[in-house]
Amino acid sequence: IAITFAQNKIPTLLVDSDMRRGLLHNMLLINKTPGLSNILASNLPLDLNLIDKVVQKSQIPNLFVLSCGDMLPNPAELISSKKMEKVLELFKARFGVVVIDTAPIGIASDSINIIKNVDACLMVAMSKKTKLGALRKVIERIVKINKKKLIGMVLNGADSDLIKDKYGYSYYHY
C-alpha cells in the first residue's frame, strides 16, 4: 500500500511500529537503527529535523521508511505515550501519507493504542493461520474505539489455485 502511494508521487512514510519483531528494515534493505523506539526513548526535542535524521530513503522514489529501532523493554508504554502522539503529528506534517505497520493486535496491545491516533485502519489476516474467533475479537476492539476507522481487510497467503477456480474469465483470472 505504501509503495502504491509512493508510485503515485505522494511522499509516503512507512513506519515499522512492531518494536518486538519488526522486519521492515530487512525487507527494504535499510538500517534498523535509529528508528521509532529510539525517537520515543530519547530526550531529544521533537521536531522535523529529528524526523528527517532518522527517516531513511528507500530505493523506491517517494517512499521513506522509519524502522522499528532498537529492541527496548517497554514498547507498549512507548507506543501509548503522549510523545508518540506528537511524533505522529510530525509525520503527518512532513509526509503526504503515513502507513504504520503494527504488531499483531491480538498479541500486543501496542497496535490498539496506535489505532486511537490514526485516520484509518486496514486489517491484515493470514489465510489458514488467523483464527476467525480471534479476528472477530480484534474487529470488536477496533469498532469500540471508532468503527469508522476500520476501512477494510486484506487476506494474505490465500491459495491462488482455489481463487482461480472460483473467479475466472475465459481469457484471464483474478
Side-chain angles (χ1 to χ4, degrees):
I1 291 171
I3 291 170
T4 301
F5 281 113
Q7 289 173 334
N8 282 292
K9 298 181 177 29
I10 300 170
T12 303
L13 175 63
L14 176 58
V15 179
D16 188 350
S17 73
D18 185 350
M19 291 189 261
R20 291 177 179 83
R21 298 182 63 190
L23 297 172
L24 284 179
H25 61 281
N26 291 335
M27 289 186 260
L28 295 170
L29 305 173
I30 62 166
N31 296 322
K32 183 177 180 182
T33 59
L36 181 60
S37 65
N38 304 102
I39 292 173
L40 296 174
S42 80
N43 292 324
L44 296 173
L46 282 178
D47 58 21
L48 289 176
N49 290 329
L50 175 63
I51 299 301
D52 288 338
K53 287 179 184 173
V54 295
V55 168
Q56 301 175 60
K57 286 184 180 180
S58 76
Q59 296 175 353
I60 300 162
N62 298 308
L63 180 64
F64 302 85
V65 183
L66 180 63
S67 69
C68 56
D70 290 318
M71 199 177 301
L72 298 176
N74 56 346
E77 184 179 315
L78 292 172
I79 290 288
S80 62
S81 69
K82 289 288 183 191
K83 194 169 188 178
M84 179 66 181
E85 290 178 32
K86 291 178 185 174
V87 167
L88 290 174
E89 288 174 20
L90 287 173
F91 291 162
K92 289 178 185 179
R94 171 72 173 78
F95 298 95
V97 172
V98 179
V99 176
I100 304 172
D101 183 30
T102 67
I105 291 179
I107 295 172
S109 63
D110 314 359
S111 305
I112 287 292
N113 292 323
I114 289 175
I115 290 170
K116 295 174 185 175
N117 298 305
V118 298
D119 297 326
C121 174
L122 183 66
M123 292 283 303
V124 178
M126 181 61 87
S127 178
K128 299 180 184 175
K129 291 196 177 187
T130 303
K131 304 281 187 229
L132 191 55
L135 187 59
R136 280 190 184 120
K137 286 180 183 176
V138 168
I139 290 170
E140 287 171 8
R141 288 178 73 189
I142 293 170
V143 169
K144 279 183 183 176
I145 294 169
N146 183 344
K147 67 180 175 182
K148 292 180 183 177
K149 289 188 179 189
L150 183 58
I151 61 169
M153 182 174 290
V154 174
L155 180 64
N156 273 347
D159 186 353
S160 63
D161 289 337
L162 292 174
I163 293 169
K164 263 197 289 188
D165 292 342
K166 296 186 184 209
Y167 301 102
Y169 285 88
S170 60
Y171 55 95
Y172 62 90
H173 296 280
Y174 282 75

